[in-house]
Each structure stands twice: as C-alpha cells, then as structure tokens.
Amino acid sequence: QVQLVESGGGLVQAGGSLRLSCAASGRTFSTFSMGWFRQPPGKEREFVSAISWRGGHTYYADYADSVKGRCAISRDNTKKTVYLQMNSLKLEDTAVYYCAGTYGTIVTYADNYNYWGQGNRVTVSS
C-alpha cells in the first residue's frame, strides 16, 4: 500500500507564497509520476502540476496554464517527498489541494492516478 500525506497549506495573502509538501510511503517512489490537483469551492477538481518519470534518471515537469510561471514542482527521492512551490498567489488559487501518484506518464488526467492524499486546504485572502 502507498500512502500520501499533504502538508503546508493554510491562509496566505494575495501575492504571497507557500510550499506544499507531499510525503509518500513505499519503496517505489522514484519511479512514480507525482501530480498536484486542486478543487476550488463549488468547482470540479482540476490539474495543477506534475513531475513525471520518463526513465534515464530524468523527470519532466508539467503545469496548468493557470499556474504556469507562478509555481514550481520538485521532488526529493531520498525523503520520498514532492513539493509544489507557489508564488504570486491569487484569489482563484483558493482550493483544496491533493497530491497523487501514478505509475503512468499521462499526468494531466486524474483518473490515471493510482494513489491520492487526503487533501490540504489553501485559502488566499485579499
């Protein structure tokens, strides 16, 4: 079994920054593609970012247009943790953020993920 636990959310002012963390259990973390999704109030869950394993000790980052240029995804395989650094936060970034893991490489579609965290709320205030 694989467990994912998010942390780092909370209340921040517009224009501020935060870093979300997702700690994973299991021995196969380095070969997982890891993604971040979010669900704003009253809206559907949407893709935010992912860092995908493509072999050859190489990872590739993907970002939704809504956060491109404002966030950076990274991972520490020793700590089995993936991070999402978010800067220049906007009111529309308010959402419950979920981390997820998959053995696949199609990372923008939620149904392709095998494991999910419990969610972590981010609230951006004006």
Side-chain angles (χ1 to χ4, degrees), residues 2-10 20-25 34-39 45 82 95-101 113-122:
V2 175
Q3 294 184 358
L4 305 175
V5 180
E6 304 101 331
S7 62
L20 299 177
S21 299
C22 178
S25 65
M34 299 295 298
W36 288 96
F37 291 77
R38 68 186 183 186
Q39 187 166 16
R45 189 174 299 186
V82 63
V96 176
Y97 284 72
Y98 300 87
C99 68
Y113 285 79
N114 307 102
Y115 307 101
W116 290 86
Q118 79 286 355
N120 196 242
R121 184 176 299 276
V122 172

Side-chain angles (χ1 to χ4, degrees), residues 37-64:
F37 291 77
R38 68 186 183 186
Q39 187 166 16
K43 298 182 179 180
E44 297 180 351
R45 189 174 299 186
E46 64 185 24
F47 170 77
V48 178
S49 182
I51 184 164
S52 57
W53 169 251
R54 305 292 174 84
H57 303 92
T58 301
Y59 297 91
Y60 295 89
D62 296 281
Y63 301 97

Side-chain angles (χ1 to χ4, degrees), residues 20-93:
L20 299 177
S21 299
C22 178
S25 65
R27 295 172 291 178
T28 60
F29 176 79
S30 63
T31 59
F32 275 34
S33 294
M34 299 295 298
W36 288 96
F37 291 77
R38 68 186 183 186
Q39 187 166 16
K43 298 182 179 180
E44 297 180 351
R45 189 174 299 186
E46 64 185 24
F47 170 77
V48 178
S49 182
I51 184 164
S52 57
W53 169 251
R54 305 292 174 84
H57 303 92
T58 301
Y59 297 91
Y60 295 89
D62 296 281
Y63 301 97
D65 289 341
S66 59
V67 301
K68 192 172 298 181
R70 299 191 296 115
C71 73
I73 191 169
S74 61
R75 63 195 295 160
D76 185 330
N77 290 338
T78 300
K79 297 180 179 179
K80 297 183 178 180
T81 302
V82 63
Y83 306 95
L84 183 68
Q85 177 70 43
M86 300 190 67
N87 304 313
S88 301
L89 286 164
K90 304 176 180 179
L91 293 178
E92 51 264 41
D93 293 321

